[in-house]
Amino acid sequence: MTALRLVAVSAGLGRPSSSRLLADRLTEAVRRRLPGEAAVRVIELRDLAADIANAMVTGFPSPRLREAIEAVTEADGLIAVTPVFTASYSGLFKSFFDVVEEGALAGMPVVVAATGGTARHSLVLDHALRPLFAYLRAVVAPTGVYAASEDWGGTGDAATGPLSERVARAGEELAALMPARAARPRPADEVVPFEQRLAELRP
């Protein structure tokens, strides 16, 4: 049996970042519920920031950015985690998905997640992240996960409590969606060439 491919995208800026911590928690929650082995990868957009900016301007991705995009679009399940900036997803997070080929995420099972300093920003899941992935025609899992600073506790750990319950539920939902994605070939005509997509985005 071919291992299911799970990719997490973290737009955290620090090292370590709460967004990466949340991505790791969600990744483990999904992996525990998948049948058999899983091929897991976490992509930190912080490391690709200059490549993403250059691709937006020139229309040509660097080799490592293209490889990251291919990992995301060829996955059987996606975890997308962003810090909250100005009541929405970060510019780095949005820019990355702007350079993903149109149609490449159609039918992709996705868990949306975000981190912020206060629980007041939790509505970003429904007001920003869900509409973004609905536009990309992804299949968004019912449970989104938001983690405020208070959810991590004094040790930076979130192994117990309401956050761990949301993580477990989201992991179960994504794991249930992934086998169907793996079994369905993606039609080639759904994908717009990368350079054409960027040309459409530039003013």
Side-chain angles (χ1 to χ4, degrees), residues 145-188:
V145 181
Y146 179 84
S149 297
E150 63 200 50
D151 288 313
W152 298 103
T155 63
D157 190 12
T160 60
L163 177 58
S164 67
E165 295 171 4
R166 295 195 299 272
V167 167
R169 188 165 62 248
E172 183 176 1
E173 291 168 357
L174 186 59
L177 292 168
M178 286 175 61
R181 168 70 177 184
R184 183 184 70 86
R186 188 181 67 204

Side-chain angles (χ1 to χ4, degrees), residues 14-103:
R15 286 193 186 277
S17 72
S18 58
S19 295
R20 174 60 192 264
L21 291 173
L22 183 55
D24 289 341
R25 293 276 187 240
L26 285 163
T27 297
E28 183 57 30
V30 176
R31 179 161 42 187
R32 285 199 303 265
R33 289 161 178 81
L34 288 174
E37 294 297 320
V40 178
R41 177 172 176 184
V42 179
I43 295 173
E44 294 213 53
L45 298 185
R46 178 184 186 275
D47 299 331
L48 296 168
D51 301 78
I52 293 169
N54 286 334
M56 294 288 290
V57 172
T58 66
F60 297 97
S62 65
R64 68 174 188 164
L65 176 57
R66 182 177 290 278
E67 191 273 335
I69 292 171
E70 288 175 353
V72 168
T73 58
E74 293 173 5
D76 300 312
L78 176 64
I79 296 165
V81 188
T82 179
V84 174
F85 289 136
T86 321
S88 188
Y89 37 64
S90 73
L92 179 61
F93 182 87
K94 178 61 163 57
S95 295
F96 175 76
F97 287 102
D98 279 344
V99 299
V100 172
E101 296 167 348
E102 185 170 358

